[in-house]
Amino acid sequence: MTTSEPGDAKRPTRRSSNPTVHDVALEAGVSPMTVSRVLSGGKNVRLEVQERVARAVETLGYHRNENARSLRPGHRSGLVGVTITNIANPYYAEMLRGVEEIASAHGRRILVGNSNEDADLEKQLVADFIGRRVEGLIVVPSSAGDAAHLQLERLGGVPVVLASRAVGGVSADTVLIDDVEGARTATAALLAEGHRRVAYLGQRSVFTGRRRLEGFTVAHEALELTPDEELIRVGQQDVGSAERAMTELLDLADPPTAVFSANNRNTVGAIRAIVARRRATAGTGAGGGGDDIRVAGFDSFDFADIAPVRLSIVDHDAGDLGRRAAAMLFDRLDGGAQPVEPRVLELPVTLRDLF
Amino acid sequence: MTTSEPGDAKRPTRRSSNPTVHDVALEAGVSPMTVSRVLSGGKNVRLEVQERVARAVETLGYHRNENARSLRPGHRSGLVGVTITNIANPYYAEMLRGVEEIASAHGRRILVGNSNEDADLEKQLVADFIGRRVEGLIVVPSSAGDAAHLQLERLGGVPVVLASRAVGGVSADTVLIDDVEGARTATAALLAEGHRRVAYLGQRSVFTGRRRLEGFTVAHEALELTPDEELIRVGQQDVGSAERAMTELLDLADPPTAVFSANNRNTVGAIRAIVARRRATAGTGAGGGGDDIRVAGFDSFDFADIAPVRLSIVDHDAGDLGRRAAAMLFDRLDGGAQPVEPRVLELPVTLRDLF
DNA sequence: CTGTTAGCGCGTTCAG
DNA sequence: CTGAACGCGCTAACAG
């Protein structure tokens, strides 16, 4: 044993490291336990002693070690894990803010990870979060790969809320937006105006994309129409590829007269293509394609209301999505007795004409 | 050797709680220490035993408790705290993604808090983060209130990197973008085109706002001009108020012929006002204000390149800001011997004409 | 190659 | 009103 200091103190007064209750106790001339008591409200401690301790805390710049604290039985970590497929996406950023707002109100902090649509990465994140003893998880599930790691049993009983997307085979609390209805309404509006060649710009591999394509199809079927496969373009992830896809559509022998776009990246790309075409054919009197194309799209964006096309937007509040998901989680965490079976919430959307 | 248990187990086999090394050890028929060894690479453990342990881990759904782990001396928490004035702002969202990317590459997770431009909230967040033993902090300092809590001494030696904004009186690593130069260049471009009544839309209370206004002023002074105070509008936080401010400017007896806007909210608002005015005076031949106003603004946005005005944009990469800030932090954390004095990095911007 | 001991910072339990 | 002891989960350091 033998660090064997001459004046051997049990604790060799470490300057560099963080001060502990012990250090504060020394400084205040009391026992660690008294410090602990003061820190948790000061019940049963003389006022004078409380002040002495408070002063010591101040002098030493003491911060109670939450990690050590959460080690005690019964104590919770105060942490919630959030994994998002792309933090930089303004939509999810707003969702994240909603989550943070509610978590904060419930005295929790959020650990945030970016899964980049990669199920393996997501799995690692979740495992790490559980290792840090998060009390719950909010997950925007990645579209690619297996999702077995989200099974409740695999999570060691940590409750999870799926946001924005559901996952096949995983039964958990889920908050979605009404993708099908939004897409259906928007498409129906285009068809009602008489358009019969309506293009679809979006995804098919992502959950929301599938649902929005379904709404697009359903709207057609309600009028006993069948969407032309040639007009369905999927897989564009960014504005650039969306613009190219739209340009291709405009170049068709029988181009669309309207387009429904399943997300704002595609909407912006489509409008760019339309504007570019309009400029190109400006003086020619050709009128070839770009003019008076009607657009409807999911999700708003900065300039939606002064876009130079006739535009309708399927609106919904990402912040609300985050708040609802968080509320659902804390309902399980803090609420009393909960129903065991998972709940699915589908948030409504509204169609807004911007012309 | 004493499993020593007729009746009394030291550990009463808790089903509900998370399994521990102890539980895994029991399941695998080894000691906790062996489990620990396997978990940290399996050095000096027979392969057969490793497999047995691995199986036990799998069966029990064991996750190593990182909080307990980080309690051991020398061990670090693997956490970095990030406070942002507004997570939902796409600009900061992208910055956050940059931070996450680098943190992830360095094996750290990020704790994220929203300060909402409130110094008190920011202080609480920072205190809480330190309580959780974050290894470092990345802070977008709030504009309102005192910032004493960001002093290195108050932080108990936890390194902090200030991002996007500096703070008076706080000397810490800082990553800024070149606000002054960006604003100067953009304004100079307008003046070079002959404009003599150039408006300013932005802030004065926020650090970046002050710097951008400075650039605006400097550009004028370089030509021995003085900006007209009447054309300087500050305090608009959102698109709506920016639009109103711009409308007021257009209503002046001697309206501006160009406008420099210090952020994208203001730019979008300005363009809206201009477009609205243009529409209102369309048939009248009055030409009153809205037409051919020239715009230059800080920060890009969705539709910048098809905006219906002559527009220039001061561009910079928020993701890069985040990556640089994080890199600076990890330079101190993981890099060997570091310079003690704080470093300030000013990222360049570029002016881009979109017409 | 494997197990035992001890203690990281904190707070509950029980004595004084 | 205050303090001592114990253990939360984990892993260096030291036996064996």
Side-chain angles (χ1 to χ4, degrees), chain A residues 324-348:
Chain A
R324 298 301 195 104
M328 227 178 209
L329 182 62
F330 288 114
D331 191 36
R332 276 197 197 272
L333 293 180
D334 298 343
Q338 289 86 25
V340 179
E341 74 275 27
R343 287 158 302 175
V344 175
L345 188 62
E346 205 162 52
L347 301 179

Side-chain angles (χ1 to χ4, degrees), chain B residues 66 69-70 72 74-79 108 133 135 333:
Chain B
E66 288 299 328
R69 196 148 181 259
S70 72
R72 322 257 29 255
H75 246 286
R76 311 226 137 261
S77 69
L79 252 29
R108 312 300 212 286
R133 295 299 182 265
E135 299 175 41
L333 293 180

Side-chain angles (χ1 to χ4, degrees), chain A residues 67-79:
Chain A
N67 295 335
R69 197 147 182 260
S70 72
L71 214 57
R72 309 301 327 275
H75 248 285
R76 312 226 137 262
S77 70
L79 253 30

Side-chain angles (χ1 to χ4, degrees), chain A residues 310-333:
Chain A
R310 277 172 56 89
L311 178 66
S312 300
I313 290 292
V314 181
D315 254 329
H316 62 286
D317 184 349
D320 195 47
L321 180 69
R323 285 188 293 272
R324 298 301 195 104
M328 227 178 209
L329 182 62
F330 288 114
D331 191 36
R332 276 197 197 272
L333 293 180

Side-chain angles (χ1 to χ4, degrees), chain B residues 143-214:
Chain B
S143 56
D146 183 31
H149 57 283
L150 294 178
Q151 303 286 6
L152 194 57
E153 316 87 66
R154 305 301 224 84
L155 262 32
V158 175
V160 61
V161 176
L162 268 27
S164 179
R165 307 171 180 174
V167 175
V170 174
S171 99
D173 284 347
T174 305
V175 185
L176 305 172
I177 58 161
D178 200 340
D179 300 292
V180 179
E181 178 61 12
R184 193 198 61 73
T185 314
T187 307
L190 300 178
L191 294 173
E193 289 172 18
H195 293 284
R196 282 302 172 267
R197 290 189 65 67
V198 182
Y200 175 90
L201 248 46
Q203 326 250 199
R204 182 144 44 190
S205 61
V206 179
F207 178 80
T208 51
R210 275 196 300 278
R211 306 223 307 165
R212 291 170 193 183
L213 182 52
E214 182 189 338

Side-chain angles (χ1 to χ4, degrees), chain A residues 11 20-21 33 36 62 64-65 69 72:
Chain A
R11 168 180 278 270
T20 75
V21 268
M33 197 50 237
S36 176
Y62 170 79
R64 184 160 59 178
N65 186 331
R69 197 147 182 260
R72 309 301 327 275

Side-chain angles (χ1 to χ4, degrees), chain B:
Chain B
M1 90 138 318
T2 72
T3 350
S4 80
E5 314 204 42
D8 61 2
K10 271 185 186 174
R11 168 181 277 273
T13 55
R14 306 146 306 111
R15 284 255 156 279
S16 59
S17 187
N18 281 312
T20 75
V21 266
H22 199 102
D23 301 321
V24 177
L26 239 54
E27 173 82 17
V30 295
S31 83
M33 195 53 232
T34 300
V35 175
S36 175
R37 271 194 264 263
V38 173
L39 258 34
S40 30
K43 185 87 180 151
N44 287 349
V45 180
R46 258 171 27 216
L47 211 71
E48 185 242 321
V49 176
Q50 291 197 39
E51 279 163 8
R52 209 137 37 94
V53 169
R55 210 156 26 239
V57 165
E58 193 59 30
T59 329
L60 269 51
Y62 170 79
H63 292 265
R64 184 160 58 175
N65 186 332
E66 288 299 328
N67 295 336
R69 196 148 181 259
S70 72
L71 212 57
R72 322 257 29 255
H75 246 286
R76 311 226 137 261
S77 69
L79 252 29
V80 167
V82 185
T83 71
I84 295 184
T85 51
N86 178 8
I87 302 179
N89 183 327
Y91 182 80
Y92 291 122
E94 204 162 314
M95 189 198 94
L96 184 61
R97 166 142 168 72
V99 170
E100 200 276 345
E101 188 181 322
I102 302 300
S104 210
H106 286 256
R108 312 300 212 286
R109 299 290 173 219
I110 58 174
L111 271 165
V112 178
N114 201 77
S115 70
N116 201 28
E117 298 284 7
D118 177 343
D120 280 335
L121 210 53
E122 182 181 292
K123 185 175 173 174
Q124 282 178 39
L125 283 169
V126 167
D128 185 284
F129 287 169
I130 291 184
R132 294 179 189 285
R133 295 299 182 265
V134 294
E135 299 175 41
L137 291 162
I138 292 179
V139 173
V140 179
S142 65
S143 56
D146 183 31
H149 57 283
L150 294 178
Q151 303 286 6
L152 194 57
E153 316 87 66
R154 305 301 224 84
L155 262 32
V158 175
V160 61
V161 176
L162 268 27
S164 179
R165 307 171 180 174
V167 175
V170 174
S171 99
D173 284 347
T174 305
V175 185
L176 305 172
I177 58 161
D178 200 340
D179 300 292
V180 179
E181 178 61 12
R184 193 198 61 73
T185 314
T187 307
L190 300 178
L191 294 173
E193 289 172 18
H195 293 284
R196 282 302 172 267
R197 290 189 65 67
V198 182
Y200 175 90
L201 248 46
Q203 326 250 199
R204 182 144 44 190
S205 61
V206 179
F207 178 80
T208 51
R210 275 196 300 278
R211 306 223 307 165
R212 291 170 193 183
L213 182 52
E214 182 189 338
F216 176 81
T217 308
V218 167
H220 279 79
E221 288 170 349
L223 297 179
E224 304 194 343
L225 298 168
T226 310
D228 184 346
E229 273 294 329
E230 189 185 42
L231 299 183
I232 294 180
R233 303 292 162 126
V234 296
Q236 312 78 236
Q237 301 272 12
D238 53 62
V239 173
S241 53
E243 181 172 355
R244 281 192 295 281
M246 186 67 206
T247 301
E248 281 179 30
L249 287 170
L250 294 175
D251 283 337
L252 290 177
D254 189 4
T257 63
V259 54
F260 169 72
S261 140
N263 59 52
N264 56 7
R265 300 294 96 188
N266 274 284
T267 311
V268 172
I271 294 174
R272 280 196 191 177
I274 292 168
V275 169
R277 175 57 48 96
R278 194 183 289 164
R279 284 180 182 168
T281 64
T284 71
D291 242 346
D292 64 6
I293 286 239
R294 177 80 165 83
V295 179
F298 230 102
D299 309 334
S300 194
F301 48 89
D302 282 341
F303 245 152
D305 56 350
I306 58 172
V309 296
R310 277 171 57 89
L311 178 66
S312 300
I313 290 292
V314 181
D315 254 328
H316 61 285
D317 185 351
D320 195 45
L321 179 69
R323 284 188 294 273
R324 298 302 194 104
M328 228 178 209
L329 182 62
F330 288 115
D331 191 34
R332 278 198 195 271
L333 293 180
D334 298 342
Q338 290 85 24
V340 179
E341 74 275 26
R343 288 159 300 176
V344 175
L345 188 62
E346 205 162 51
L347 302 180
V349 299
T350 59
L351 185 65
R352 194 161 50 98
D353 293 330
L354 300 173
F355 50 88

